[in-house]
Amino acid sequence: GQQLNQSPQSMFIQEGEDVSMNCTSSSIFNTWLWYKQDPGEGPVLLIALYKAGELTSNGRLTAQFGITRKDSFLNISASIPSDVGIYFCAGHGFGNEKLTFGTGTRLTIIP
Amino acid sequence: GAGVSQSPSNKVTEKGKDVELRCDPISGHTALYWYRQSLGQGLEFLIYFQGNSAPDKSGLPSDRFSAERTGGSVSTLTIQRTQQEDSAVYLCASSPRGGQGYTFGSGTRLTVV
C-alpha cells in the first residue's frame, strides 16, 4: 500500500529559528496536506496543496507540492512557543478517498 | 454542529468487554472517517463512510471491529471482546465529500486494562 516517510522524527530548536520538514512517498499523490496536532486534540489542517509544483503560504508556514508528486515540504519561519506539537503530512492517492498519513515530526522549542 | 464531536473523550474498559465509540460529524458532511492513533504513532486508517455506506473498510484490524452510520450523520465504532492492543486514541473526521481535507474530532482515548 501507499506509505509516507516523514522526516525528521523530532526537532529541538530555539525560539526564533526556522524549521523545515518533509515527506516522501513511494507512489504518486494528487493532494498533499499538512496537519498539526496538539496534545489531547485531533489534527488540525494547516495547508492543503492540490497541484504539482504548487507553493502555498499561510502566515509563517510555507509548503510545496513536489514536481514528481511524490514529495512535499513544510517550512515554519521564526518559530514561536505555540508552534510546539506534532506535524503530520498526509496525502490522497488517485481515486483514493482516504488520507494516508506520515509518521509525524515532533517539534520542541528549547527555552 | 460547529465541529466534529466524539464521545466519550476517555474510556477505560476491562479486557474482553465490548465498547462503543460515537462520532457526530459536521452537519452536511457526507464523508466520515475513523482512524486509530497508538501512542507516539501516526494515524492508521480504519474505515470510510460515504453517506450510510462504507466503500472502504480495509483498515479494520479484525472482525472484532465494526462500524455503522445512520441517517448520513452519526457513526458508531464498536470493538467487541477488547484486547490490550486495542488501547489507542480513536479519531473521527468528516469532510464535505470524499477526497478532501478532513476536520477531525478530539478523539476517544481507549484504555483496555
Side-chain angles (χ1 to χ4, degrees), chain B residues 31-89:
Chain B
L32 185 148
Y33 309 80
W34 284 97
Y35 281 78
R36 178 168 72 173
Q37 186 175 28
S38 299
L39 186 63
Q41 301 297 311
L43 281 74
E44 174 191 5
F45 169 79
L46 297 178
I47 187 169
Y48 155 58
F49 286 93
Q50 181 61 45
N52 291 335
S53 63
D56 189 349
K57 50 179 95 171
S58 62
L60 294 178
S62 74
D63 59 8
R64 296 186 296 104
F65 287 72
S66 62
E68 66 174 11
R69 188 180 186 194
T70 55
S73 180
V74 172
S75 176
T76 303
L77 177 70
T78 301
I79 309 173
Q80 295 179 308
R81 305 180 301 282
T82 52
Q83 304 293 313
Q84 287 186 325
E85 62 262 27
D86 299 334
S87 296
V89 175

Side-chain angles (χ1 to χ4, degrees), chain A residues 31 33 35 37 40-45 50 86 88 92 96-104 106, chain B residues 33 35 37 40-43 45 48 56 58 91 97-107 109:
Chain A
T31 306
L33 304 160
Y35 284 84
Q37 186 176 29
E41 299 294 327
V44 173
L45 181 65
Y50 299 104
I86 303 177
F88 291 99
H92 286 291
N96 198 336
E97 308 294 353
K98 71 184 183 191
L99 272 178
T100 299
F101 281 82
T103 49
R106 182 181 295 274
Chain B
Y33 309 80
Y35 281 78
Q37 186 175 28
Q41 301 297 311
L43 281 74
F45 169 79
Y48 155 58
D56 189 349
S58 62
L91 289 159
R97 61 175 189 269
Q100 292 187 323
Y102 317 156
T103 301
F104 280 89
S106 297
R109 180 175 297 278

Side-chain angles (χ1 to χ4, degrees), chain A residues 11-14 84-85 106-110:
Chain A
M11 304 184 73
F12 296 85
I13 62 167
Q14 292 189 321
V84 166
R106 182 181 295 274
L107 180 63
T108 302
I109 294 184
I110 307 167

